[in-house]
Amino acid sequence: MVKFWYCFVPANKSIIVRGIADLAYKRIEPHLSNYMGKVFEDICRQYLWKLLLKEKSPVEFGNLGRWWGTDPSTRCQMEIDIMGEQDKDTAFFAECKWTTERVDLNVLETLAYRSKLFHYNNTHLYLFAKNGFTKGCEEAATKMGNVSLVTYDDILDCLL
């Protein structure tokens, strides 16, 4: 709530105090999806910590972080939303998608590719989605076996 306040209220304070809520929302609404993407990543981190505390995490990580780097084969910049390492042999990688569409197979394939930029023998992948996953993504995750597909509702059930 505090983060939202400082992001949106000061710039719209004059119209808010005058009761022009529709105009305030009109100005704020185009930025909400981007804002919520970062908030969703924070919520996903909380979920991962909760799994660890409940001893239900497939990777017993010591810390969580975001990773940016360069793919040596394509020389392109890459990003991984959340990464956690257990030891030099075991880690997990996560992608968080706050979108109205269901997360498709290409997101899983991209995360799997990026996880291979590291040299862990044991990896686990997490995909977090606001609105679920396509059938193709679900089938591929089942086939891979080292993937957890987590919806926003799943997160709420765990955290509340």
Side-chain angles (χ1 to χ4, degrees):
M1 187 175 90
V2 172
K3 192 178 207 180
F4 179 88
W5 176 275
Y6 285 107
C7 226
F8 297 113
V9 173
N12 294 288
K13 185 176 180 181
S14 295
I15 59 175
I16 292 169
V17 298
R18 285 170 178 75
I20 311 170
D22 290 343
L23 179 57
Y25 182 75
K26 183 179 175 184
R27 290 181 177 181
I28 294 169
E29 194 272 332
H31 307 285
L32 282 177
S33 184
N34 188 39
Y35 170 81
M36 282 305 299
K38 298 295 180 201
V39 171
F40 187 54
E41 286 180 23
D42 289 340
I43 293 168
C44 294
R45 282 186 193 87
Q46 291 173 33
Y47 171 85
L48 291 164
W49 281 112
K50 188 75 158 194
L51 283 186
L52 183 67
L53 290 170
K54 290 181 173 183
E55 298 180 356
K56 293 183 178 182
S57 177
V59 175
E60 295 175 353
F61 58 89
N63 211 346
L64 297 178
R66 174 184 292 273
W67 178 83
W68 290 279
T70 303
D71 179 344
S73 64
T74 64
R75 297 180 188 248
C76 291
Q77 288 287 5
M78 300 283 174
E79 176 186 2
I80 297 173
D81 290 339
I82 306 171
M83 180 181 168
E85 181 183 74
Q86 178 173 318
D87 52 41
K88 298 297 179 202
D89 198 45
T90 306
F92 79 83
F93 303 89
E95 185 71 23
C96 309
K97 294 295 183 188
W98 186 262
T99 178
T100 56
E101 293 86 33
R102 292 180 178 271
V103 172
D104 200 1
L105 174 59
N106 64 331
V107 176
L108 176 56
E109 290 172 337
T110 299
L111 183 60
Y113 174 80
R114 290 177 182 173
S115 74
K116 290 180 181 20
L117 295 173
F118 299 85
H119 301 289
Y120 296 104
N121 290 320
N122 304 308
T123 60
H124 192 83
L125 306 178
Y126 281 96
L127 284 185
F128 294 98
K130 173 185 175 186
N131 287 316
F133 306 91
T134 63
K135 185 174 174 87
C137 184
E138 290 172 344
E139 289 171 352
T142 299
K143 186 175 182 182
M144 290 171 71
N146 66 331
V147 179
S148 294
L149 302 179
V150 185
T151 66
Y152 182 61
D153 289 340
D154 296 333
I155 294 170
L156 289 179
D157 289 343
C158 176
L159 294 178
L160 298 177

